[in-house]
Amino acid sequence: MKGEAKKQAYAAKKEQEGRNVINWIFGVLIALGAVYAIYTIAIS
């Protein structure tokens, strides 16, 4: 029983870390998109 609980806790922790990575990636992409939009407006 202890081993199973540890596996579940580890899996939950890894899932949360994966979601954090995905959120960071989307955040960076949105920020880069905003910078690009400002850049294109400023150039024209």
Side-chain angles (χ1 to χ4, degrees):
M1 288 298 229
K2 276 187 178 181
E4 187 64 31
K6 273 187 164 182
K7 284 181 186 178
Q8 287 180 350
Y10 181 76
K13 181 179 176 186
K14 285 297 176 185
E15 181 180 351
Q16 184 59 43
E17 288 177 358
R19 287 180 190 212
N20 286 344
V21 169
I22 290 171
N23 287 340
W24 270 101
I25 290 171
F26 277 121
V28 168
L29 287 175
I30 290 170
L32 287 174
V35 168
Y36 180 72
I38 292 169
Y39 173 74
T40 55
I41 290 171
I43 274 199
S44 59

